[in-house]
Amino acid sequence: MRIVNAFLCGGYWASVLAAPLSLKSTSNVNSTDSNCVGINGLSPRCRPVEANHRREIFYVGGHYQLDPQTQQHVLVDQMYVEKLTPFPSPHQRYPLVFFHGGGYSGAAWLQTPDGRPGFASYFLKRGYQVYLIDQIGTGRSTQADLNAYPIKGAQSLETTLRGFTRMQDYNDYPQAKLHTQWPGSGQPGSPAFEALSSLAIPLTTAPTQLETSMRHAGCVLLSLLGPKSFLISHSIGALYPILLSDQCPHLIAGSLNLEPTTLPFESIFGPPSSPNAGRAPARKWGLANTPLTYHPRATTPEDLKPVRVGNDSAAKRSCLLQAEPARKLPNINLVPYVALTGEASQHAGYDHCIVEYLRQAGGTPEWIRLGEVGVRGNGHFGYLERNSEKIARVAEGWIGRFSR
């Protein structure tokens, strides 16, 4: 009897599995319909927006370390990696590795706050293998060693409003009035504003430990992907392509950076007219907090002798560059570099400092000011704004030049 039942069950399931698969939509509601914006997109009636792909997750890097309190070993310095493979298969020459900005995670690349396909889907549809990482110490790469990776809270409502969604209302810098692309009103309570606020998460405040572990895990990841990959970053995420270009340049096809926050030797806190605005020392090795390979060799940060260059105004900030004769960055200069800057972003006033620093150090960086190529009205989160696909096309064009 058991054998017969097994045979019958096997025949039943064989017929089920052999039957043609029928996928019927439960609704005609589109994911970008007003009823599917923000958290409303959870409804089964809203169609998925992501490109068809297969998803796998991995952790790279890391090692076991003794916890002095428990006297047991815990894994530390590991990095979360999400592998997205386009369906039916990738056909582009090099994969893309995405680095999120500070206080966010790799999830920021998946879709926009108003429910449209994100950068990940854009490039998946074009046949690229896509990898999304969570920076070590953040999100799904949060660390067990909280002493080595202390964290601070996510950004405030006021920061989001003034810096990212409604800067045109404050006019803290001349370019702010050009901002037109945030989806929806940009006000608290609107779906896209709440989606961006919810996307923000705590971040680590240990730059030296973070950079050291990201160098190792990042190069391990790139060595597994080989022979080369393109690196795409946003904001402070641009630090990691710099570090990896210094550590393992032979594994990188190009470095594309959206609004890079790697201002040489300092950080700017707020535009000149905003409360508590100012500058603070940062990245003592020029573009990083940890040593970079210079020629002639720099044994201490003081060897770089930063000097203030240019007049300082709200529209164009002065820069800290090396004293001449400037040391070169031979490893970093091996990797093609481009910065993309929105015309309404605060970065429009100081991204030139990064480009000038790299040029002074012997590189040939490119700077694409999006407004000058017809992509208008973007703030710091252009890749999430209404014309994000136009920015993706600019990025795709640059990548294509170095993919041959």
Side-chain angles (χ1 to χ4, degrees), residues 158-400:
E158 290 78 10
T159 296
T160 301
L161 194 64
R162 188 165 191 151
F164 306 138
T165 67
R166 294 296 306 181
M167 53 273 210
Q168 63 269 32
D169 295 343
Y170 299 90
N171 202 29
D172 286 324
Y173 52 96
Q175 297 93 331
K177 64 181 180 292
L178 302 175
H179 187 229
T180 59
Q181 292 296 335
W182 184 259
S185 70
Q187 297 286 357
S190 62
F193 183 95
E194 296 303 321
L196 181 66
S197 295
S198 298
L199 196 62
I201 57 177
L203 70 160
T204 185
T205 57
T208 299
Q209 179 69 25
L210 173 60
E211 289 187 19
T212 300
S213 55
M214 284 294 292
R215 281 178 187 261
H216 174 70
C219 287
V220 169
L221 171 62
L222 295 181
S223 69
L224 291 168
L225 306 187
K228 289 188 176 184
S229 302
F230 281 99
L231 312 185
I232 300 178
S233 74
H234 175 246
S235 195
I236 196 58
L239 174 62
Y240 309 117
I242 288 289
L243 295 173
L244 301 184
S245 295
D246 185 61
Q247 193 82 10
C248 48
H250 59 288
L251 297 175
I252 304 173
S255 171
L256 186 146
N257 304 276
L258 308 171
E259 303 259 314
T261 305
T262 51
L263 202 63
F265 299 113
E266 63 182 348
S267 291
I268 292 178
F269 294 100
S273 62
S274 67
N276 303 315
R279 301 176 188 250
R283 293 173 287 280
K284 60 186 178 182
W285 288 92
L287 299 174
N289 297 288
T290 50
L292 297 173
T293 303
Y294 283 95
H295 181 78
R297 182 184 177 188
T299 56
T300 68
E302 289 71 27
D303 291 339
L304 302 175
K305 301 176 182 177
V307 294
R308 180 72 58 189
V309 174
N311 296 323
D312 192 47
S313 69
K316 186 176 182 179
R317 310 306 302 267
S318 62
C319 308
L320 285 176
L321 302 180
Q322 294 184 65
E324 295 289 355
R327 286 172 163 80
K328 308 306 178 186
L329 289 165
N331 290 356
I332 291 173
N333 293 341
L334 293 172
V335 177
Y337 178 100
V338 65
L340 276 65
T341 304
E343 72 169 352
S345 169
Q346 183 181 343
H347 279 245
Y350 55 71
D351 277 358
H352 66 279
C353 296
I354 302 166
V355 176
E356 289 175 21
Y357 190 87
L358 288 168
R359 286 176 180 159
Q360 185 192 37
T364 55
E366 298 179 50
W367 185 23
I368 298 177
R369 284 162 277 195
L370 291 171
E372 295 183 1
V373 296
V375 183
R376 314 306 297 267
N378 289 108
H380 185 53
F381 279 93
Y383 76 103
L384 298 179
E385 295 191 310
R386 290 189 295 115
N387 59 350
S388 57
E389 187 167 319
K390 290 184 178 180
I391 299 174
R393 285 201 293 268
V394 173
E396 182 185 17
W398 187 87
I399 289 169

Side-chain angles (χ1 to χ4, degrees), residues 21-279:
L21 182 63
S22 176
L23 296 176
K24 295 183 179 180
S25 173
T26 58
S27 168
N28 290 324
V29 176
N30 190 284
S31 60
T32 55
D33 186 279
S34 60
N35 293 323
C36 293
V37 173
I39 199 169
N40 291 333
L42 281 169
S43 170
R45 299 174 63 246
C46 298
R47 293 201 302 266
V49 300
E50 288 191 53
N52 195 2
H53 67 276
R54 294 180 294 274
R55 185 185 310 252
E56 302 166 87
I57 64 169
F58 301 90
Y59 282 86
V60 299
H63 61 277
Y64 287 98
Q65 174 178 292
L66 183 66
D67 183 331
Q69 292 185 337
T70 65
Q71 288 299 300
Q72 296 183 6
H73 289 83
V74 294
L75 186 67
V76 297
D77 296 345
Q78 75 279 18
M79 182 175 74
Y80 174 89
V81 181
E82 204 166 300
K83 177 186 177 184
L84 309 182
T85 303
F87 187 84
S89 63
H91 59 261
Q92 299 289 352
R93 183 178 182 185
Y94 297 126
L96 311 179
V97 183
F98 286 80
F99 297 83
H100 61 82
Y104 292 85
S105 72
W109 299 107
L110 293 172
Q111 63 188 59
T112 65
D114 58 334
R116 292 173 292 111
F119 261 45
S121 279
Y122 179 91
F123 286 100
L124 284 167
K125 287 178 181 177
R126 283 148 183 83
Y128 285 93
Q129 185 86 60
V130 168
Y131 295 86
L132 311 179
I133 68 102
D134 277 8
Q135 166 193 305
I136 294 175
T138 298
R140 291 158 291 190
S141 297
T142 302
Q143 297 293 303
D145 187 354
L146 293 179
N147 292 322
Y149 291 95
I151 59 175
K152 68 175 183 179
Q155 69 195 26
S156 67
L157 177 150
E158 290 78 10
T159 296
T160 301
L161 194 64
R162 188 165 191 151
F164 306 138
T165 67
R166 294 296 306 181
M167 53 273 210
Q168 63 269 32
D169 295 343
Y170 299 90
N171 202 29
D172 286 324
Y173 52 96
Q175 297 93 331
K177 64 181 180 292
L178 302 175
H179 187 229
T180 59
Q181 292 296 335
W182 184 259
S185 70
Q187 297 286 357
S190 62
F193 183 95
E194 296 303 321
L196 181 66
S197 295
S198 298
L199 196 62
I201 57 177
L203 70 160
T204 185
T205 57
T208 299
Q209 179 69 25
L210 173 60
E211 289 187 19
T212 300
S213 55
M214 284 294 292
R215 281 178 187 261
H216 174 70
C219 287
V220 169
L221 171 62
L222 295 181
S223 69
L224 291 168
L225 306 187
K228 289 188 176 184
S229 302
F230 281 99
L231 312 185
I232 300 178
S233 74
H234 175 246
S235 195
I236 196 58
L239 174 62
Y240 309 117
I242 288 289
L243 295 173
L244 301 184
S245 295
D246 185 61
Q247 193 82 10
C248 48
H250 59 288
L251 297 175
I252 304 173
S255 171
L256 186 146
N257 304 276
L258 308 171
E259 303 259 314
T261 305
T262 51
L263 202 63
F265 299 113
E266 63 182 348
S267 291
I268 292 178
F269 294 100
S273 62
S274 67
N276 303 315
R279 301 176 188 250

